[in-house]
Amino acid sequence: MATRVMPADAAAAAEAARILGAGGLVAFPTETVYGLGADATNGRAVARLYEAKGRPAFNPLIAHVLDSQAAKKLGRFNAAAERLASAFWPGPLTLVLPRAIGCPVVELATAGLDSIAVRVPSHKVARDILKAFGKPVVAPSANCSGHVSPTTAAHVLADLGGRIDLIVDGGATPVGIESTIVTCLGAPVLLRPGGLPRAAIEQALERKLADAPAADGDDDAPMAPGMLAAHYAPRTRLRLNIRRVETGEALLAFGPAPAENARAAKTSLNLSARGDLIEAAANLFSHLRALDAAGAATIAVMPVPADGLGEAINDRLVRAAAGDR
Ligand code: TXA
Ligand code: MG
């Protein structure tokens, strides 16, 4: 199959909606990362999506809709969910909710769970496509399963070219790291740190968020089925929190101070030379991809502070380092 790439405009949104309606697969930017969209109500389309990504079918998908009103047709909101939706939607937050009665999303998309992950994206291109289509769109990150999430149309093409119908190119995604996932099945629990920092959520809830039990790579009955320990993996091995670079390593730097022996690196990129975590999140996946392509035996990663978006950045780095290859 030839994968077409269209610049994001009204014609692209209309074409995306037509393809989704015909059961096809369309990649598009959200504020976090590029998503690979399929009609959430079409089982064959969802099956094709799992196949294109090479994703284990037990890993459920996020349903994307335009607003809270549409979200309420999919999931049931408790008081915490209401609060979070009104504080942060549209934006980089996903809520896991009990499936609503009459929810039109096919069971395959939720992997047979009685809960559903719902998100209202803020990116204009994503919203234009949702508006044109008029139904919920399931969209995992538009990468091959287990690979680094895409933040540009070129990343999507490199992973999924020839396997999907259309890529709508809306430039680099502004946040650069996936949405924060909070379950609201009872008391709210943080399932995945992401583009919305924990502190903002805790402030809106006026309480601390519990953490999901740590993923251990055993995916039999996890809280967040997709949180396999080894996820987001580049092919090159990562060495985290390094102070000193070994000769010939690829260096992923952070901040203004150079690592020891930095000049011996084969190649290096800085997540944010001024030490800004927002900029670092936006650069994380594209820098990992670029260093992965450099052919070094290891990627040495300088320490990144854990506050704000640093929690999500460190989470992705630890997962990327855990891949056995
Ligand atoms: O920012 C994002 O969230 C991007 C953009 C495209 O929206 N999407 C994304 O989707 O990151 P994906 O499929 O790569 O990650 C979704 C995560 C997976 O870890 C999955 O297991 C979890 O959400 N998930 C989905 N439904 C769930 C459910 N009912 N209960 C618990 N976890 C769920
Ligand atoms: Mg993903």
Side-chain angles (χ1 to χ4, degrees), residues 59 146-149 177-179 181 190-194 198 211-219 222-241 284-285 288 301 310-325:
N59 192 349
H147 199 190
V148 176
S149 287
I177 203 156
E178 302 88 343
S179 61
I181 306 182
L190 182 68
L191 280 192
R192 176 176 77 179
R198 172 199 291 271
D211 283 310
D216 56 3
D218 169 2
D219 211 42
M223 266 289 277
M227 299 312 279
L228 292 163
H231 205 61
Y232 306 103
R235 289 172 195 89
T236 314
R237 198 166 59 79
L238 263 65
R239 214 160 60 80
L240 301 184
N241 297 317
L284 178 66
F285 292 133
L288 278 175
V301 185
E311 183 179 11
I313 294 170
N314 279 291
D315 172 83
R316 301 309 187 268
L317 287 171
V318 167
R319 286 171 199 285
D324 54 283
R325 59 196 154 262

Side-chain angles (χ1 to χ4, degrees), residues 2 56 71 106 108 130 133 140 147 154 157 160 173 210 218 224 227 231 241 249 252 261 266 296 324:
V106 295
L108 179 60
L130 288 172
F133 184 52
H147 199 190
L157 195 62
L160 298 174
T173 57
D218 169 2
M227 299 312 279
H231 205 61
N241 297 317
E249 282 188 312
L252 185 59
N261 201 30
K266 179 172 187 178
D324 54 283

